[in-house]
Amino acid sequence: MSRLAVPKTYKLYIGGAFPRSESGRTYEVLAADGSFLANAALASRKDARDAVVAARAAVSGWSGATAYNRGQVLYRIAELLEGRRAQFIAEIEEAEGVTRAAASAQVDEAIDRWVWYAGWADKFAQVAGNANPVAGPYFNISVPEPTGVVAVVVPQDSSLLGFVSAVAPALVAGNSVVAIASERFPLSAISLSEVLATSDVPKGVVNVLTGSPAEIAPWLASHADVNALDLVGAGALDWVSLEIDAADTLKRVLRPESGADAAAPALGRIAAFTETKTVWHTKSLR
């Protein structure tokens, strides 16, 4: 007797929990051959607002942690990803229709990028900051600080690697993130959310919305409590309008990127979501 299939409905990841969309909507996620894989939540404006509230509540704790501790937490994500490597390979292979070797390469690169960014957590401030020469008996030091809540439209043509490449650098400096997953390939992003939920990442630091970026992104771009906007995966959207909406609340904006090198690891992606604080201090006259 054959078993009945048990179709899975993937939920959102907001504030460390897995709620359904408040709208009750879902959409079908299909494999590369057109067969049914699962249902995913179709996030609404209210879900986006809830995600921003959760991200805002998490900023102080995450940014207040030591840089060394943030590096440990990010490295722990890589460890857990390594432990569930086979699951992610199978998901990517089925969803994207690529070979097992290509799926394995994507997962390995995603793990390596977590490790790369984890290594920068307690080092980038020394590179991005500076001790400034000034005239007078003063120390003048510039240090990078997190900008706050970062909304991210992740690359849409990648199940896992694009998500990691866009989200990880925003976390390094102490920002919290609201990420819109790939609409076509959302399952790896939600599976990664399960990794985050069982790792040391505080609730609300990463929030994952699935559904239509065209529907969700305008609300995040215009939200007054979002401090920065990464449009790396918004090339197919009217991203100019999103940038205009973001300007109303003085958001830092990164424009779309395309191709295999979109959101490639770079120190500039960490620094893009920081603000520079300059401190003056008198020198001792003794």
Side-chain angles (χ1 to χ4, degrees), residues 90-164:
E91 284 182 349
I92 293 170
E93 189 178 5
E94 193 170 23
E96 296 188 19
V98 297
T99 64
R100 186 167 186 81
S104 299
Q106 183 178 157
V107 175
D108 290 344
E109 181 62 22
I111 294 170
D112 290 348
R113 289 191 184 184
W114 274 121
V115 173
W116 192 84
Y117 279 115
W120 272 110
D122 60 352
K123 302 175 183 67
F124 88 95
Q126 292 92 310
V127 178
N130 195 36
N132 308 307
V134 294
Y138 306 101
F139 293 109
N140 183 265
I141 302 171
S142 295
V143 293
E145 294 192 339
T147 192
V149 176
V150 179
V152 182
V153 181
V154 309
Q156 296 293 296
D157 56 357
S158 169
S159 296
L160 178 66
L161 183 58
F163 186 93
V164 171

Side-chain angles (χ1 to χ4, degrees), residues 156-233:
Q156 296 293 296
D157 56 357
S158 169
S159 296
L160 178 66
L161 183 58
F163 186 93
V164 171
S165 300
V167 170
L171 299 177
V172 173
N175 298 293
S176 59
V177 172
V178 177
I180 306 174
S182 168
E183 183 174 13
R184 184 181 175 192
F185 307 125
L187 303 190
S188 288
I190 297 299
S191 292
L192 181 58
S193 298
E194 296 172 356
V195 169
L196 299 174
T198 55
S199 69
D200 300 323
V201 180
K203 66 180 183 179
V205 170
V206 181
N207 304 274
V208 181
L209 303 175
T210 55
S212 169
E215 178 182 351
I216 307 168
W219 301 117
L220 294 175
S222 61
H223 198 301
D225 213 21
V226 173
N227 303 107
L229 185 64
D230 187 350
L231 298 176
V232 60

Side-chain angles (χ1 to χ4, degrees), residues 8-92:
K8 185 171 181 179
T9 297
Y10 286 78
K11 301 174 184 177
L12 307 173
Y13 183 57
I14 299 174
F18 292 90
R20 295 177 173 84
S21 171
E22 62 81 29
S23 67
R25 300 178 303 169
T26 61
Y27 71 101
E28 290 188 353
V29 180
L30 304 179
D33 62 5
S35 60
F36 176 82
L37 283 179
N39 294 306
L42 189 59
S44 67
R45 176 186 182 183
K46 176 62 164 54
D47 297 320
R49 290 172 59 192
D50 290 345
V52 173
V53 170
R56 174 57 60 195
V59 169
S60 60
W62 182 239
S63 63
T66 66
Y68 179 74
N69 180 243
R70 286 198 298 271
Q72 289 179 308
V73 171
L74 295 179
Y75 187 81
R76 177 60 177 159
I77 298 171
E79 289 181 329
L80 293 176
L81 261 178
E82 185 74 45
R84 294 175 61 169
R85 183 173 176 272
Q87 173 196 346
F88 282 95
I89 290 172
E91 284 182 349
I92 293 170

Side-chain angles (χ1 to χ4, degrees), residues 211-273:
S212 169
E215 178 182 351
I216 307 168
W219 301 117
L220 294 175
S222 61
H223 198 301
D225 213 21
V226 173
N227 303 107
L229 185 64
D230 187 350
L231 298 176
V232 60
L237 306 180
D238 182 6
W239 63 266
V240 174
S241 292
L242 295 176
E243 190 173 33
I244 292 171
D245 290 343
D248 288 339
T249 50
L250 304 180
K251 289 181 178 61
R252 183 77 60 86
V253 177
L254 284 186
R255 291 181 170 180
E257 300 176 30
S258 59
D261 291 333
L267 181 61
R269 292 199 67 82
I270 303 174
F273 301 117

